[in-house]
Amino acid sequence: MLNLNMDQLHIFVRSCEVGSFSAVAREVGRAQSSVSSLIQNLELDLGLTLFNREGKYPQPTDAALALLPLARQSLGQLQRFQQAANSFQRGEEPQLNILFEELVMPDRLNDMLVTFSERFPHTELQLGSVTGKEAVQQVAHGEADFAFVTSRDSYPSSLDTSNLGQQRVLSLACPEHPLAQKKQSSLNEAAQHRQITTAPESQRYRWQLSAQTWRSDSLLQALDLACKGVGWVNAPYELARPFLKSGRLVELNLTGSLNTWSLGVDLLWSKQTPQGLAAQWFAREARRLYGNFYSPPIEISDRN
């Protein structure tokens, strides 16, 4: 088993690229004899001739040229290993587990996560969509670091919470739906058409308006069914956005309280789990998702 290190790989790669031991020596601030000795020891360890020294300048052999891309790859992996170790030593977490209820998924969460990936490139994120009850339990048991949930009256004493604001919930249907053909409709009119709901059984009556309903555990499936004209559906802007932009769904103008449905959103984390740099940054930035950073629903032109 060879005990290769970053120094050996770097000298080998640069010698192949530059074609001069003396030039590499000047580059790394060493004597030429030191670079030549390192290459010779590497050749002895590998049992290969890596450079042809017959001419004025050493030329990499076929074996060296074949090993060069592997050496570059290994060098890159070692550098990333060192960078990751340095980031963890500074207090950044190797991994964060983040949960959310689909109905309160922040509109710009993914935009924030892009910035997170640039700021903390070595912290792995695990993202999951669960029910509010499951989210509370997992954070309380230390199985998740954060959760976006519908606001509740109380939480386990082991949790810390921050109210983030309100998430607007839209009423949607395909453009051909009878409700979408009118500039506005009453709640009584909407109740006469099939409604596709995704609320858990415990919250069904809060969201159910129509006597004829289909229920799905998946909001994306419910949205797709609405696109196919099966019924109308309620969904947060974040999940509805691509359907609205493509024109597959339109926002319904329903008069009455249903048109202003919104949900309070809380961010949960455990009091028992110390927060590193990545978690502290995430908790701070999450508070912006329902404030000025919030992206309102896109404008929809009037329909006849």
Side-chain angles (χ1 to χ4, degrees), residues 1-192:
M1 181 72 71
L2 294 175
N3 293 316
L4 296 176
N5 56 48
M6 291 181 65
D7 185 47
Q8 288 175 304
L9 289 174
H10 178 69
I11 294 297
F12 167 69
V13 169
R14 292 302 293 148
S15 296
C16 289
E17 294 172 343
V18 175
S20 168
F21 293 161
S22 59
V24 173
R26 289 193 298 271
E27 185 179 286
V28 298
R30 298 185 185 180
Q32 178 180 342
S33 58
S34 174
V35 172
S36 298
S37 177
L38 186 147
I39 294 296
Q40 288 174 352
N41 289 335
L42 183 60
E43 289 177 322
L44 289 173
D45 289 341
L46 295 174
L48 294 170
T49 299
L50 299 176
F51 291 91
N52 186 333
R53 298 169 175 80
E54 294 179 356
K56 182 177 179 180
Y57 298 103
Q59 296 296 316
T61 63
D62 290 342
L65 293 175
L67 290 172
L68 180 59
L70 297 175
R72 287 176 176 145
Q73 182 180 22
S74 298
L75 189 60
Q77 290 174 337
L78 286 171
Q79 289 172 337
R80 287 189 290 274
F81 177 88
Q82 184 65 60
Q83 291 168 353
N86 290 342
S87 71
F88 302 151
Q89 191 276 332
R90 289 193 300 268
E92 299 173 16
E93 295 88 340
Q95 178 177 300
L96 289 179
N97 187 2
I98 300 165
L99 306 176
F100 53 86
E101 289 184 74
E102 280 189 311
L103 275 176
V104 295
M105 180 180 177
D107 287 356
R108 293 298 180 184
L109 175 61
N110 285 345
D111 292 339
M112 188 187 88
L113 295 183
V114 170
T115 305
F116 182 96
S117 71
E118 297 166 351
R119 183 88 176 246
F120 303 100
H122 305 294
T123 299
E124 177 183 332
L125 289 188
Q126 297 288 336
L127 306 169
S129 172
V130 295
T131 66
K133 181 178 179 181
E134 291 171 334
V136 171
Q137 290 176 342
Q138 290 189 40
V139 176
H141 295 158
E143 299 168 0
D145 298 285
F146 293 102
F148 295 89
V149 299
T150 305
S151 296
R152 287 161 169 74
D153 293 332
S154 63
Y155 295 98
S157 59
S158 61
L159 296 183
D160 262 336
T161 69
S162 176
N163 181 260
L164 301 180
Q166 298 287 318
Q167 171 71 298
R168 183 185 173 197
V169 179
L170 309 181
S171 300
L172 307 157
C174 68
E176 297 77 25
H177 194 281
L179 293 173
Q181 300 298 311
K182 306 176 67 175
K183 288 186 177 181
Q184 68 177 28
S185 302
S186 68
L187 296 184
N188 287 335
E189 289 175 306
Q192 296 172 19

Side-chain angles (χ1 to χ4, degrees), residues 180-183 301-304:
Q181 300 298 311
K182 306 176 67 175
K183 288 186 177 181
S301 59
D302 290 339
R303 300 177 297 276
N304 296 325

Side-chain angles (χ1 to χ4, degrees), residues 113 140 165 216 229 272:
L113 295 183
S216 172
Q272 272 75 43

